[in-house]
Amino acid sequence: QVQLVESGGGLVQPGGSLRLSCVGSGFVFNLYSMRWFRQAPGGQRDLVAGINRHGTPSYADNVKGRLSISRDDAKNMVYLQMDSLRPEDTAVYFCNALNVITEREYWGQGTQVTVSS
């Protein structure tokens, strides 16, 4: 069956870094755009970064210059490098796979990121 499994979340101090990872299985990974969303308590799920099949990244304005998305299709992995973290980055981060042709979409279960001193 299809699975997306995130890892790498945790507690970090302001200004610190974390690297999130997501591994996909059960679907043809290299046919999908991969995206990271986040959802803060009481908030909506917002797109923070995406990377298409060709490796072209895109970012929400409020994370540009601090977050970097990458993918390794040989390993069915997508990563989110997060630097200069701020308390407002605290959220559950979700991995998402989207086939832009079929519009088929899959979600991971999320990983908690807490930025606090």
Side-chain angles (χ1 to χ4, degrees), residues 4 19-25 27-36 50-56 68-80 95:
L4 287 172
R19 188 192 194 208
L20 305 184
S21 300
C22 172
V23 60
S25 60
F27 64 101
V28 183
F29 190 88
N30 63 10
L31 294 183
Y32 284 70
S33 293
M34 299 303 298
R35 304 181 296 175
W36 287 96
I51 187 165
N52 66 15
R53 294 174 51 199
H54 309 292
T56 303
S68 178
I69 189 170
S70 60
R71 65 188 295 161
D72 184 341
D73 288 350
K75 297 180 180 179
N76 285 7
M77 297 286 294
V78 60
Y79 306 97
L80 186 66
C95 179

mmCIF file of all heavy atoms in Angstrom, residues 4 19-25 27-36 50-56 68-80 95:
data_model
loop_
_atom_site.group_PDB
_atom_site.id
_atom_site.type_symbol
_atom_site.label_atom_id
_atom_site.label_comp_id
_atom_site.label_asym_id
_atom_site.label_seq_id
_atom_site.Cartn_x
_atom_site.Cartn_y
_atom_site.Cartn_z
ATOM 1 N N LEU A 4 3.760 7.293 3.048
ATOM 2 C CA LEU A 4 4.712 8.389 3.175
ATOM 3 C C LEU A 4 5.027 8.494 4.655
ATOM 4 O O LEU A 4 4.113 8.657 5.471
ATOM 5 C CB LEU A 4 4.131 9.713 2.675
ATOM 6 C CG LEU A 4 3.980 9.900 1.172
ATOM 7 C CD1 LEU A 4 3.202 11.179 0.876
ATOM 8 C CD2 LEU A 4 5.330 9.930 0.488
ATOM 9 N N ARG A 19 16.562 18.849 9.904
ATOM 10 C CA ARG A 19 16.369 18.299 8.571
ATOM 11 C C ARG A 19 15.285 17.237 8.640
ATOM 12 O O ARG A 19 15.454 16.222 9.324
ATOM 13 C CB ARG A 19 17.657 17.677 8.043
ATOM 14 C CG ARG A 19 17.579 17.246 6.576
ATOM 15 C CD ARG A 19 18.761 16.384 6.211
ATOM 16 N NE ARG A 19 18.916 16.215 4.769
ATOM 17 C CZ ARG A 19 19.490 15.149 4.223
ATOM 18 N NH1 ARG A 19 19.948 14.170 4.980
ATOM 19 N NH2 ARG A 19 19.611 15.070 2.904
ATOM 20 N N LEU A 20 14.196 17.504 7.949
ATOM 21 C CA LEU A 20 13.117 16.533 7.867
ATOM 22 C C LEU A 20 13.327 15.628 6.660
ATOM 23 O O LEU A 20 13.818 16.076 5.615
ATOM 24 C CB LEU A 20 11.768 17.241 7.748
ATOM 25 C CG LEU A 20 11.420 18.265 8.824
ATOM 26 C CD1 LEU A 20 10.003 18.792 8.606
ATOM 27 C CD2 LEU A 20 11.568 17.676 10.216
ATOM 28 N N SER A 21 12.937 14.374 6.830
ATOM 29 C CA SER A 21 13.019 13.406 5.746
ATOM 30 C C SER A 21 11.656 12.764 5.553
ATOM 31 O O SER A 21 10.860 12.661 6.496
ATOM 32 C CB SER A 21 14.046 12.325 6.061
ATOM 33 O OG SER A 21 15.338 12.859 6.250
ATOM 34 N N CYS A 22 11.400 12.331 4.336
ATOM 35 C CA CYS A 22 10.155 11.626 4.028
ATOM 36 C C CYS A 22 10.472 10.552 3.004
ATOM 37 O O CYS A 22 11.072 10.849 1.953
ATOM 38 C CB CYS A 22 9.120 12.599 3.488
ATOM 39 S SG CYS A 22 7.601 11.843 2.851
ATOM 40 N N VAL A 23 10.083 9.330 3.316
ATOM 41 C CA VAL A 23 10.293 8.229 2.377
ATOM 42 C C VAL A 23 8.946 7.758 1.862
ATOM 43 O O VAL A 23 7.989 7.603 2.635
ATOM 44 C CB VAL A 23 11.094 7.088 3.030
ATOM 45 C CG1 VAL A 23 10.387 6.530 4.243
ATOM 46 C CG2 VAL A 23 11.390 5.992 2.009
ATOM 47 N N GLY A 24 8.867 7.551 0.567
ATOM 48 C CA GLY A 24 7.638 7.092 -0.056
ATOM 49 C C GLY A 24 7.755 5.655 -0.540
ATOM 50 O O GLY A 24 8.834 5.197 -0.899
ATOM 51 N N SER A 25 6.625 4.962 -0.529
ATOM 52 C CA SER A 25 6.573 3.606 -1.052
ATOM 53 C C SER A 25 5.171 3.318 -1.566
ATOM 54 O O SER A 25 4.206 3.971 -1.163
ATOM 55 C CB SER A 25 6.966 2.588 0.029
ATOM 56 O OG SER A 25 6.085 2.664 1.128
ATOM 57 N N PHE A 27 4.112 3.669 -4.655
ATOM 58 C CA PHE A 27 3.746 4.452 -5.838
ATOM 59 C C PHE A 27 5.033 4.809 -6.578
ATOM 60 O O PHE A 27 6.133 4.657 -6.048
ATOM 61 C CB PHE A 27 2.948 5.702 -5.457
ATOM 62 C CG PHE A 27 3.694 6.702 -4.611
ATOM 63 C CD1 PHE A 27 4.253 7.845 -5.162
ATOM 64 C CD2 PHE A 27 3.833 6.519 -3.234
ATOM 65 C CE1 PHE A 27 4.937 8.770 -4.391
ATOM 66 C CE2 PHE A 27 4.512 7.436 -2.444
ATOM 67 C CZ PHE A 27 5.067 8.556 -3.024
ATOM 68 N N VAL A 28 4.874 5.274 -7.822
ATOM 69 C CA VAL A 28 6.043 5.591 -8.645
ATOM 70 C C VAL A 28 6.518 6.989 -8.275
ATOM 71 O O VAL A 28 6.035 8.004 -8.782
ATOM 72 C CB VAL A 28 5.717 5.491 -10.144
ATOM 73 C CG1 VAL A 28 6.981 5.756 -10.969
ATOM 74 C CG2 VAL A 28 5.144 4.120 -10.476
ATOM 75 N N PHE A 29 7.470 7.028 -7.372
ATOM 76 C CA PHE A 29 7.895 8.264 -6.721
ATOM 77 C C PHE A 29 8.284 9.344 -7.726
ATOM 78 O O PHE A 29 7.914 10.508 -7.560
ATOM 79 C CB PHE A 29 9.062 7.951 -5.785
ATOM 80 C CG PHE A 29 9.461 9.069 -4.879
ATOM 81 C CD1 PHE A 29 8.845 9.230 -3.643
ATOM 82 C CD2 PHE A 29 10.467 9.958 -5.249
ATOM 83 C CE1 PHE A 29 9.210 10.260 -2.790
ATOM 84 C CE2 PHE A 29 10.849 10.989 -4.403
ATOM 85 C CZ PHE A 29 10.210 11.137 -3.166
ATOM 86 N N ASN A 30 9.018 8.968 -8.770
ATOM 87 C CA ASN A 30 9.558 10.001 -9.663
ATOM 88 C C ASN A 30 8.506 10.613 -10.589
ATOM 89 O O ASN A 30 8.819 11.519 -11.366
ATOM 90 C CB ASN A 30 10.758 9.475 -10.440
ATOM 91 C CG ASN A 30 10.410 8.328 -11.368
ATOM 92 O OD1 ASN A 30 9.239 8.014 -11.580
ATOM 93 N ND2 ASN A 30 11.417 7.698 -11.926
ATOM 94 N N LEU A 31 7.265 10.144 -10.511
ATOM 95 C CA LEU A 31 6.178 10.743 -11.281
ATOM 96 C C LEU A 31 5.419 11.802 -10.481
ATOM 97 O O LEU A 31 4.484 12.411 -11.003
ATOM 98 C CB LEU A 31 5.202 9.667 -11.752
ATOM 99 C CG LEU A 31 5.748 8.658 -12.758
ATOM 100 C CD1 LEU A 31 4.632 7.690 -13.185
ATOM 101 C CD2 LEU A 31 6.357 9.338 -13.971
ATOM 102 N N TYR A 32 5.827 11.989 -9.239
ATOM 103 C CA TYR A 32 5.085 12.854 -8.335
ATOM 104 C C TYR A 32 5.879 14.097 -7.961
ATOM 105 O O TYR A 32 7.095 14.026 -7.721
ATOM 106 C CB TYR A 32 4.715 12.102 -7.061
ATOM 107 C CG TYR A 32 3.564 11.143 -7.246
ATOM 108 C CD1 TYR A 32 3.711 9.983 -7.991
ATOM 109 C CD2 TYR A 32 2.312 11.417 -6.695
ATOM 110 C CE1 TYR A 32 2.644 9.120 -8.193
ATOM 111 C CE2 TYR A 32 1.248 10.556 -6.877
ATOM 112 C CZ TYR A 32 1.429 9.410 -7.626
ATOM 113 O OH TYR A 32 0.369 8.557 -7.808
ATOM 114 N N SER A 33 5.162 15.224 -7.897
ATOM 115 C CA SER A 33 5.694 16.389 -7.214
ATOM 116 C C SER A 33 5.623 16.121 -5.720
ATOM 117 O O SER A 33 4.630 15.568 -5.232
ATOM 118 C CB SER A 33 4.876 17.639 -7.548
ATOM 119 O OG SER A 33 5.021 18.004 -8.898
ATOM 120 N N MET A 34 6.649 16.530 -5.007
ATOM 121 C CA MET A 34 6.693 16.315 -3.563
ATOM 122 C C MET A 34 6.616 17.666 -2.858
ATOM 123 O O MET A 34 7.251 18.645 -3.284
ATOM 124 C CB MET A 34 7.970 15.582 -3.167
ATOM 125 C CG MET A 34 8.113 14.205 -3.794
ATOM 126 S SD MET A 34 6.725 13.110 -3.409
ATOM 127 C CE MET A 34 6.850 12.989 -1.628
ATOM 128 N N ARG A 35 5.838 17.699 -1.791
ATOM 129 C CA ARG A 35 5.605 18.969 -1.103
ATOM 130 C C ARG A 35 5.644 18.768 0.406
ATOM 131 O O ARG A 35 5.380 17.668 0.904
ATOM 132 C CB ARG A 35 4.247 19.547 -1.525
ATOM 133 C CG ARG A 35 4.134 19.717 -3.037
ATOM 134 C CD ARG A 35 2.812 20.300 -3.492
ATOM 135 N NE ARG A 35 1.655 19.483 -3.209
ATOM 136 C CZ ARG A 35 0.411 19.868 -3.440
ATOM 137 N NH1 ARG A 35 0.161 21.082 -3.920
ATOM 138 N NH2 ARG A 35 -0.600 19.063 -3.181
ATOM 139 N N TRP A 36 5.989 19.831 1.096
ATOM 140 C CA TRP A 36 5.903 19.877 2.554
ATOM 141 C C TRP A 36 4.867 20.927 2.937
ATOM 142 O O TRP A 36 4.923 22.064 2.452
ATOM 143 C CB TRP A 36 7.248 20.233 3.173
ATOM 144 C CG TRP A 36 8.264 19.134 3.128
ATOM 145 C CD1 TRP A 36 9.245 18.951 2.196
ATOM 146 C CD2 TRP A 36 8.407 18.061 4.065
ATOM 147 N NE1 TRP A 36 9.984 17.834 2.486
ATOM 148 C CE2 TRP A 36 9.494 17.273 3.644
ATOM 149 C CE3 TRP A 36 7.723 17.688 5.235
ATOM 150 C CZ2 TRP A 36 9.917 16.137 4.334
ATOM 151 C CZ3 TRP A 36 8.140 16.569 5.914
ATOM 152 C CH2 TRP A 36 9.226 15.801 5.469
ATOM 153 N N GLY A 50 7.790 23.004 -2.211
ATOM 154 C CA GLY A 50 7.489 21.929 -3.145
ATOM 155 C C GLY A 50 8.641 21.730 -4.102
ATOM 156 O O GLY A 50 9.484 22.627 -4.288
ATOM 157 N N ILE A 51 8.701 20.545 -4.682
ATOM 158 C CA ILE A 51 9.722 20.255 -5.688
ATOM 159 C C ILE A 51 9.080 19.362 -6.744
ATOM 160 O O ILE A 51 8.483 18.340 -6.415
ATOM 161 C CB ILE A 51 10.982 19.621 -5.055
ATOM 162 C CG1 ILE A 51 12.094 19.476 -6.088
ATOM 163 C CG2 ILE A 51 10.680 18.316 -4.340
ATOM 164 C CD1 ILE A 51 13.465 19.207 -5.466
ATOM 165 N N ASN A 52 9.171 19.774 -7.998
ATOM 166 C CA ASN A 52 8.488 19.004 -9.030
ATOM 167 C C ASN A 52 9.330 17.821 -9.501
ATOM 168 O O ASN A 52 10.427 17.565 -8.982
ATOM 169 C CB ASN A 52 8.073 19.907 -10.183
ATOM 170 C CG ASN A 52 9.242 20.504 -10.955
ATOM 171 O OD1 ASN A 52 10.389 20.050 -10.818
ATOM 172 N ND2 ASN A 52 8.964 21.504 -11.755
ATOM 173 N N ARG A 53 8.795 17.103 -10.485
ATOM 174 C CA ARG A 53 9.457 15.896 -10.974
ATOM 175 C C ARG A 53 10.851 16.190 -11.504
ATOM 176 O O ARG A 53 11.719 15.323 -11.512
ATOM 177 C CB ARG A 53 8.634 15.279 -12.098
ATOM 178 C CG ARG A 53 7.293 14.739 -11.739
ATOM 179 C CD ARG A 53 6.570 14.301 -13.007
ATOM 180 N NE ARG A 53 7.412 13.421 -13.806
ATOM 181 C CZ ARG A 53 7.216 13.182 -15.094
ATOM 182 N NH1 ARG A 53 6.213 13.759 -15.723
ATOM 183 N NH2 ARG A 53 8.005 12.360 -15.755
ATOM 184 N N HIS A 54 11.041 17.417 -11.987
ATOM 185 C CA HIS A 54 12.309 17.780 -12.611
ATOM 186 C C HIS A 54 13.288 18.382 -11.615
ATOM 187 O O HIS A 54 14.388 18.785 -12.009
ATOM 188 C CB HIS A 54 12.033 18.757 -13.752
ATOM 189 C CG HIS A 54 10.982 18.263 -14.699
ATOM 190 N ND1 HIS A 54 11.169 17.183 -15.531
ATOM 191 C CD2 HIS A 54 9.706 18.670 -14.901
ATOM 192 C CE1 HIS A 54 10.062 16.964 -16.222
ATOM 193 N NE2 HIS A 54 9.157 17.844 -15.855
ATOM 194 N N GLY A 55 12.891 18.453 -10.354
ATOM 195 C CA GLY A 55 13.789 18.967 -9.325
ATOM 196 C C GLY A 55 13.726 20.462 -9.124
ATOM 197 O O GLY A 55 14.582 21.025 -8.432
ATOM 198 N N THR A 56 12.722 21.115 -9.685
ATOM 199 C CA THR A 56 12.587 22.555 -9.520
ATOM 200 C C THR A 56 11.852 22.859 -8.222
ATOM 201 O O THR A 56 10.720 22.434 -8.047
ATOM 202 C CB THR A 56 11.812 23.170 -10.698
ATOM 203 O OG1 THR A 56 12.479 22.849 -11.920
ATOM 204 C CG2 THR A 56 11.723 24.676 -10.535
ATOM 205 N N SER A 68 15.014 24.670 2.626
ATOM 206 C CA SER A 68 15.468 24.163 1.337
ATOM 207 C C SER A 68 14.939 22.750 1.134
ATOM 208 O O SER A 68 15.153 21.874 1.983
ATOM 209 C CB SER A 68 16.997 24.167 1.279
ATOM 210 O OG SER A 68 17.460 23.634 0.049
ATOM 211 N N ILE A 69 14.243 22.538 0.024
ATOM 212 C CA ILE A 69 13.685 21.227 -0.275
ATOM 213 C C ILE A 69 14.546 20.542 -1.327
ATOM 214 O O ILE A 69 15.074 21.186 -2.242
ATOM 215 C CB ILE A 69 12.214 21.352 -0.756
ATOM 216 C CG1 ILE A 69 11.558 19.980 -0.869
ATOM 217 C CG2 ILE A 69 12.134 22.134 -2.072
ATOM 218 C CD1 ILE A 69 10.041 20.052 -1.110
ATOM 219 N N SER A 70 14.698 19.234 -1.196
ATOM 220 C CA SER A 70 15.447 18.448 -2.175
ATOM 221 C C SER A 70 14.834 17.057 -2.252
ATOM 222 O O SER A 70 14.056 16.660 -1.373
ATOM 223 C CB SER A 70 16.925 18.380 -1.805
ATOM 224 O OG SER A 70 17.110 17.773 -0.542
ATOM 225 N N ARG A 71 15.188 16.326 -3.287
ATOM 226 C CA ARG A 71 14.665 14.980 -3.454
ATOM 227 C C ARG A 71 15.754 14.062 -3.989
ATOM 228 O O ARG A 71 16.675 14.515 -4.694
ATOM 229 C CB ARG A 71 13.444 14.974 -4.377
ATOM 230 C CG ARG A 71 13.706 15.369 -5.811
ATOM 231 C CD ARG A 71 12.385 15.527 -6.596
ATOM 232 N NE ARG A 71 11.668 14.258 -6.727
ATOM 233 C CZ ARG A 71 10.378 14.158 -7.022
ATOM 234 N NH1 ARG A 71 9.640 15.257 -7.207
ATOM 235 N NH2 ARG A 71 9.806 12.968 -7.153
ATOM 236 N N ASP A 72 15.629 12.784 -3.650
ATOM 237 C CA ASP A 72 16.509 11.734 -4.155
ATOM 238 C C ASP A 72 15.600 10.625 -4.668
ATOM 239 O O ASP A 72 15.131 9.793 -3.883
ATOM 240 C CB ASP A 72 17.439 11.251 -3.044
ATOM 241 C CG ASP A 72 18.445 10.226 -3.531
ATOM 242 O OD1 ASP A 72 18.235 9.625 -4.594
ATOM 243 O OD2 ASP A 72 19.446 10.024 -2.835
ATOM 244 N N ASP A 73 15.360 10.627 -5.963
ATOM 245 C CA ASP A 73 14.416 9.663 -6.523
ATOM 246 C C ASP A 73 14.935 8.232 -6.436
ATOM 247 O O ASP A 73 14.148 7.283 -6.408
ATOM 248 C CB ASP A 73 14.113 10.021 -7.974
ATOM 249 C CG ASP A 73 13.246 11.274 -8.093
ATOM 250 O OD1 ASP A 73 12.723 11.742 -7.056
ATOM 251 O OD2 ASP A 73 13.096 11.797 -9.215
ATOM 252 N N ALA A 74 16.246 8.054 -6.400
ATOM 253 C CA ALA A 74 16.802 6.703 -6.278
ATOM 254 C C ALA A 74 16.444 6.073 -4.938
ATOM 255 O O ALA A 74 16.385 4.850 -4.809
ATOM 256 C CB ALA A 74 18.309 6.747 -6.463
ATOM 257 N N LYS A 75 16.223 6.937 -3.932
ATOM 258 C CA LYS A 75 15.894 6.449 -2.591
ATOM 259 C C LYS A 75 14.430 6.704 -2.226
ATOM 260 O O LYS A 75 14.023 6.420 -1.102
ATOM 261 C CB LYS A 75 16.794 7.123 -1.560
ATOM 262 C CG LYS A 75 18.273 6.803 -1.730
ATOM 263 C CD LYS A 75 19.107 7.506 -0.666
ATOM 264 C CE LYS A 75 20.568 7.180 -0.831
ATOM 265 N NZ LYS A 75 21.408 7.879 0.184
ATOM 266 N N ASN A 76 13.670 7.280 -3.157
ATOM 267 C CA ASN A 76 12.264 7.642 -2.875
ATOM 268 C C ASN A 76 12.168 8.564 -1.663
ATOM 269 O O ASN A 76 11.283 8.400 -0.804
ATOM 270 C CB ASN A 76 11.397 6.395 -2.652
ATOM 271 C CG ASN A 76 11.074 5.661 -3.937
ATOM 272 O OD1 ASN A 76 11.601 5.996 -4.994
ATOM 273 N ND2 ASN A 76 10.219 4.662 -3.849
ATOM 274 N N MET A 77 13.088 9.533 -1.612
ATOM 275 C CA MET A 77 13.162 10.413 -0.456
ATOM 276 C C MET A 77 12.982 11.868 -0.867
ATOM 277 O O MET A 77 13.400 12.292 -1.948
ATOM 278 C CB MET A 77 14.519 10.289 0.235
ATOM 279 C CG MET A 77 14.847 8.932 0.813
ATOM 280 S SD MET A 77 13.922 8.578 2.314
ATOM 281 C CE MET A 77 14.578 9.794 3.447
ATOM 282 N N VAL A 78 12.369 12.631 0.030
ATOM 283 C CA VAL A 78 12.336 14.078 -0.083
ATOM 284 C C VAL A 78 12.757 14.638 1.276
ATOM 285 O O VAL A 78 12.450 14.059 2.325
ATOM 286 C CB VAL A 78 10.953 14.595 -0.513
ATOM 287 C CG1 VAL A 78 9.869 14.221 0.476
ATOM 288 C CG2 VAL A 78 10.981 16.097 -0.761
ATOM 289 N N TYR A 79 13.480 15.758 1.221
ATOM 290 C CA TYR A 79 14.043 16.340 2.428
ATOM 291 C C TYR A 79 13.618 17.798 2.558
ATOM 292 O O TYR A 79 13.350 18.476 1.564
ATOM 293 C CB TYR A 79 15.576 16.274 2.385
ATOM 294 C CG TYR A 79 16.125 14.901 2.128
ATOM 295 C CD1 TYR A 79 16.504 14.507 0.854
ATOM 296 C CD2 TYR A 79 16.261 13.980 3.171
ATOM 297 C CE1 TYR A 79 17.011 13.246 0.606
ATOM 298 C CE2 TYR A 79 16.764 12.710 2.931
ATOM 299 C CZ TYR A 79 17.138 12.351 1.646
ATOM 300 O OH TYR A 79 17.631 11.091 1.414
ATOM 301 N N LEU A 80 13.593 18.263 3.794
ATOM 302 C CA LEU A 80 13.379 19.684 4.041
ATOM 303 C C LEU A 80 14.427 20.127 5.057
ATOM 304 O O LEU A 80 14.346 19.777 6.239
ATOM 305 C CB LEU A 80 11.966 19.954 4.570
ATOM 306 C CG LEU A 80 11.602 21.435 4.710
ATOM 307 C CD1 LEU A 80 11.532 22.097 3.333
ATOM 308 C CD2 LEU A 80 10.275 21.594 5.451
ATOM 309 N N CYS A 95 4.401 15.558 4.827
ATOM 310 C CA CYS A 95 4.900 15.264 3.496
ATOM 311 C C CYS A 95 3.707 14.943 2.588
ATOM 312 O O CYS A 95 2.757 14.272 3.027
ATOM 313 C CB CYS A 95 5.848 14.073 3.595
ATOM 314 S SG CYS A 95 6.569 13.510 2.053
#
